[in-house]
């Protein structure tokens, strides 16, 4: 059992400490006057040809203050996958065996192996070092900090629709008269809708050093890679390996989007997603087909809830059309979750993250979806959800706080305030679209200039490619607050201030950043404050 005390190590320094700790252990072992330490963070490879540790990533357990899951990928079966756990202060370490889960991709027929080591009995608000490995592989090291217990300040970040900047798709391009047998040469582009920003956002998140990051669906666009005849397994590997600069240091907690729906990978197309992640809500659904598609976790005084919007959305945007697959089970679970959170005096905030948005000013994209407004909107109102984060539309926008709807076909949300600098979420829910995490098809220049939006209300009989065309209505958008019509990519950071019983108020300070370059240079674009009564004051 590691003796782990509170540490102030952050991202890069923690990773460096992990390496240094392994080296220090080897140096001490060479001194006969000192007891030999356990091989905590270093093992010598024992077999040439064993696959390495790839795509190291973290996920919170059911209790983020005391549980963490360390996961990694391998292209073939391995022996004895395990994690060795220690602390920056030289804890004795313990070994945790990993569970291996597999699936076989429905297009390439490749089998994928994902190893998950569930770490329990951790201490709240404590930094740990770990190494992950299996027989014959050099271990990969990382660190993480457990969530605080009870109300305290912390920071989290959020974005959606990332992709990965691989160069796996070849396009024949004219040579312009240069010597070539065919007169053309291959130009390599991303097979997963990624750009340089798909990589740069990882460095940008690390500049903030959040406790964790929320990914609002459409993670790597493996389904799009399949449409272009590319390898979906390689697409997932690119995403995990590229993001591991951050995901080995802090959890990236996902929600499932239409881009995670891969035809042939299970009845809902999400077998890959379910294999790659071990999520705290994996037991929220007793049905194996929907395991981990919706879940919740609590950090400090904030309850986070991840939803699977394909279950209720009208629009046809996935690899297969799966609307209604839970037969209402997800909605019933959500109502129980929201009711329990609002009855808990230790919970101040309820934050929902999901893929398809309830508000959007997009002129040409999917816009808002009536199915989501009708399924989730009344529950958000009844139980006072504070913040809803989404993606799907590839730009940034936020709403005024809204509560209730107009009696029209679109069920247009009604604002309760017109201030854009401060929002009282005790009176209404703020919605944010942060769907520009790297995708090449950004739409910041395709928004209504006047306060209007489009809402999907039905599907027509006509098709567009593999999908049925949506039927839209245009609505006035009194809910509109702020849009970014300039920057192509960005993410948001949320600083939680628990406040105190004297004022009875708690706040979140929100900054939406754009970023540039491989070092993730940050520029604030939008800043505002959310506030509400504390849970212990209300009760």
């Amino acid at each position: 059992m590691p003796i782990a005390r509170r540490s102030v190590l952050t991202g890069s320094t923690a990773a460096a400490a992990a390496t240094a700790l392994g080296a220090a252990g080897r140096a001490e072992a060479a001194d006969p006057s000192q007891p030999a330490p356990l091989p905590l963070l270093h093992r010598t490879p024992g077999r040439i040809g064993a696959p390495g540790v790839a795509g190291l990533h973290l996920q919170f357990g059911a209790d983020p203050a005391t549980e963490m899951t360390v996961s990694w990928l391998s292209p073939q079966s391995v022996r004895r996958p395990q994690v060795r756990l220690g602390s920056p202060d030289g804890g004795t370490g313990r070994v945790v065996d990993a569970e291996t889960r597999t699936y076989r991709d429905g297009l390439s027929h490749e089998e994928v192996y994902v190893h998950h080591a569930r770490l329990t009995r951790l201490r709240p608000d404590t930094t740990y070092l770990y190494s992950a490995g299996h027989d014959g592989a050099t271990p990969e090291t990382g660190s993480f900090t457990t969530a605080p217990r009870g109300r305290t300040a912390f920071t989290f970040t959020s974005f959606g629709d990332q992709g990965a900047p691989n160069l796996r798709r070849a396009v024949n391009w004219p040579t312009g008269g240069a010597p070539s047998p065919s007169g053309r040469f291959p130009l390599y582009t991303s097979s997963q809708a990624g750009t340089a920003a798909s990589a740069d956002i990882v460095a940008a998140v690390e500049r903030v050093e959040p406790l964790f990051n929320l990914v609002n669906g459409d993670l790597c666009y493996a389904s799009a890679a399949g449409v272009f005849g590319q390898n979906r397994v390689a697409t997932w590997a690119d995403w995990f390996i590229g993001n591991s600069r951050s995901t080995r240091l802090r959890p990236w907690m996902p929600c499932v989007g239409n881009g995670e729906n891969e035809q042939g990978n299970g009845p809902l197309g999400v077998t890959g997603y379910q294999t790659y992640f071990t999520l705290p809500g994996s037991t929220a659904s007793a049905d194996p087909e929907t395991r981990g598609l919706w879940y919740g976790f609590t950090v400090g005084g904030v309850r986070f809830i991840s939803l699977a919007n394909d279950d209720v959305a009208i629009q046809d945007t996935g690899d297969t059309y799966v609307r209604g697959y839970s037969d209402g089970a997800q909605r019933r679970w959500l109502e129980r979750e929201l009711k329990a959170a609002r009855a808990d005096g230790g919970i101040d905030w309820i934050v929902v993250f999901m893929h398809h948005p309830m508000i959007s000013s997009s002129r040409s994209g999917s816009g808002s979806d009536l199915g989501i407004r009708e399924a989730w909107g009344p529950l958000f109102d009844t139980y006072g959800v504070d913040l809803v984060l989404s993606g799907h539309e590839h730009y940034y926008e936020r709403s005024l706080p809204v509560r209730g709807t107009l009696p029209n076909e679109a069920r247009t949300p009604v604002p309760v305030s017109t201030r854009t600098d401060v929002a009282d979420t005790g009176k209404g829910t703020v919605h944010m679209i942060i769907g520009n995490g790297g995708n090449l098809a950004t739409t910041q220049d395709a928004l209504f200039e006047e306060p209007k939006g489009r809402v999907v209300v039905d599907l027509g009989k006509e098709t567009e490619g593999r999908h049925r065309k949506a039927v839209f209505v245009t609505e006035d958008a009194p809910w509109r607050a702020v849009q970014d019509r300039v920057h192509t990519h960005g993410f948001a950071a949320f600083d939680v201030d628990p406040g105190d019983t004297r004022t009875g108020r708690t706040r979140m300070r929100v900054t939406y950043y754009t970023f540039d370059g491989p070092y993730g240079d940050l520029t604030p674009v939008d800043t505002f404050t959310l506030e509400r009564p504390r849970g212990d004051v209300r009760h």
Side-chain angles (χ1 to χ4, degrees):
M1 184 74 181
I3 304 170
R5 296 188 292 274
R6 176 83 180 272
S7 170
V8 294
L9 284 180
T10 57
S12 58
T13 56
T19 303
L21 184 55
R26 295 191 298 277
E28 289 172 352
D31 184 348
S33 67
Q34 299 294 326
L38 291 177
L40 175 60
L41 295 177
H42 177 78
R43 295 179 67 197
T44 302
R47 182 165 59 89
I48 300 295
V53 175
L56 200 57
H57 58 285
L58 300 168
Q59 305 111 94
F60 281 134
D63 178 6
T66 62
E67 301 175 20
M68 188 75 74
T69 298
V70 179
S71 304
W72 67 100
L73 328 176
S74 65
Q76 63 193 63
S77 179
V78 300
R79 295 183 65 247
R80 291 192 293 189
Q82 56 186 209
V83 164
R84 293 172 178 262
L85 184 66
S87 78
D89 303 311
T92 58
R94 60 180 161 115
V95 177
V96 179
D97 292 331
E99 168 203 10
T100 297
R101 297 205 300 269
T102 70
Y103 78 100
R104 190 175 295 278
D105 182 72
L107 289 182
S108 69
H109 306 295
E110 293 179 60
E111 191 164 13
V112 179
Y113 299 81
V114 188
H115 317 287
H116 303 273
R118 303 189 190 203
L119 311 181
T120 60
R121 296 178 290 134
L122 305 174
R123 294 185 178 183
D125 200 17
T126 300
T127 296
Y128 290 85
L129 306 182
Y130 69 90
S131 71
H134 45 261
D135 281 1
T138 301
E140 291 284 344
T141 60
S143 70
F144 61 82
T145 300
T146 51
R149 178 77 78 199
R151 288 183 176 88
T152 191
F154 67 93
T155 298
F156 68 96
T157 53
S158 177
F159 65 83
D161 303 75
Q162 183 185 6
N166 73 343
L167 295 174
R168 296 190 183 275
R169 187 158 66 102
V171 179
N172 285 327
W173 195 259
T175 62
S180 170
S182 64
R184 309 179 75 83
F185 67 87
L187 175 69
Y188 288 91
T189 65
S190 173
S191 66
Q192 33 189 237
T195 67
S198 304
D200 295 344
I201 198 168
V202 183
V205 165
E206 284 305 292
R207 292 289 296 273
V208 175
E209 294 185 336
L211 182 63
F212 59 95
N213 179 52
L214 304 178
V215 191
N216 307 328
D218 280 10
L219 314 182
C220 66
Y221 295 95
S223 61
V227 171
F228 288 114
Q230 303 299 308
N231 189 311
R232 299 190 301 203
V233 170
T235 299
W236 277 108
D238 286 333
W239 190 79
F240 279 109
I241 292 170
N243 288 346
S244 189
R245 291 175 291 159
S246 179
T247 60
R248 71 176 59 210
L249 304 175
R250 62 199 82 253
W252 282 31
M253 304 300 291
C255 73
V256 64
N258 57 290
E260 281 65 69
N261 177 331
E262 302 167 5
Q263 189 170 17
N265 285 349
L268 302 177
V270 292
T271 303
Y273 178 88
Q274 292 172 314
T275 303
Y276 289 112
F277 295 101
T278 293
L279 298 167
S282 294
T283 58
S285 171
D287 186 347
E289 290 184 3
T290 57
R291 173 180 49 81
L293 300 188
W294 51 87
Y295 64 93
F297 62 94
T298 298
V299 175
V302 186
R303 184 65 176 170
F304 294 89
I305 296 174
S306 174
L307 297 180
N309 279 3
D310 273 356
D311 186 24
V312 298
I314 293 172
Q315 58 198 261
D316 179 8
T317 54
D319 225 4
T320 56
Y321 192 61
V322 294
R323 186 186 187 204
Y325 60 76
S326 82
D327 197 24
Q330 183 177 192
R331 190 184 191 281
R332 292 189 292 274
W333 172 87
L334 175 60
E335 182 158 25
R336 292 193 301 270
E337 277 285 312
L338 296 178
K339 185 176 182 179
R342 274 294 164 244
D344 186 342
I347 298 295
D348 300 327
W349 302 88
I350 300 176
V351 175
V352 169
F353 60 114
M354 60 190 197
H355 186 57
H356 308 77
M358 274 182 55
I359 62 99
S360 171
S361 295
S362 174
R363 287 197 322 263
S364 56
S366 297
S368 310
D369 193 293
L370 181 62
I372 296 168
R373 287 184 175 183
E374 291 181 330
W376 306 150
L379 297 181
F380 294 167
D381 289 343
T382 298
Y383 298 102
V385 169
D386 297 284
L387 180 63
V388 176
L389 307 174
S390 61
H392 196 54
E393 294 291 349
H394 302 157
Y395 70 98
Y396 170 76
E397 180 170 25
R398 65 177 167 98
S399 77
L400 298 166
V402 296
R403 182 69 46 86
T405 63
L406 296 175
N408 58 13
E409 184 180 7
R411 304 292 190 271
T412 303
V414 177
V416 298
S417 169
T418 58
R419 289 186 65 177
T420 59
D421 58 337
V422 177
D424 185 344
T425 61
K427 298 177 180 178
T429 303
V430 171
H431 293 256
M432 297 176 68
I433 296 175
I434 322 169
N436 50 354
N439 186 289
L440 62 85
T442 58
T443 55
Q444 73 285 343
D445 55 357
L447 309 179
F448 284 102
E449 293 190 12
E450 65 274 28
K452 288 187 179 295
R454 294 201 311 168
V455 184
V456 179
V457 297
D458 200 357
L459 290 179
K461 295 182 179 179
E462 294 183 53
T463 60
E464 189 171 38
R466 299 174 299 120
H467 304 291
R468 292 170 62 191
K469 281 188 175 182
V471 177
F472 293 94
V473 298
T474 301
E475 66 176 357
D476 291 328
W479 41 259
R480 193 176 83 176
V482 174
Q483 303 165 323
D484 181 6
R485 296 172 172 269
V486 177
H487 303 97
T488 55
H489 299 99
F491 71 99
F494 303 81
D495 298 316
V496 179
D497 175 3
D500 53 48
T501 54
R502 180 181 58 83
T503 63
R505 306 287 288 180
T506 176
R507 292 175 176 81
M508 271 192 210
R509 293 180 176 86
V510 186
T511 305
Y512 170 71
Y513 293 99
T514 190
F515 55 89
D516 182 59
Y519 298 103
D521 296 331
L522 302 180
T523 302
V525 175
D526 182 29
T527 59
F528 59 100
T529 300
L530 308 175
E531 63 177 27
R532 68 163 298 114
R534 280 170 49 120
D536 55 354
V537 172
R538 297 194 311 271
H539 291 270

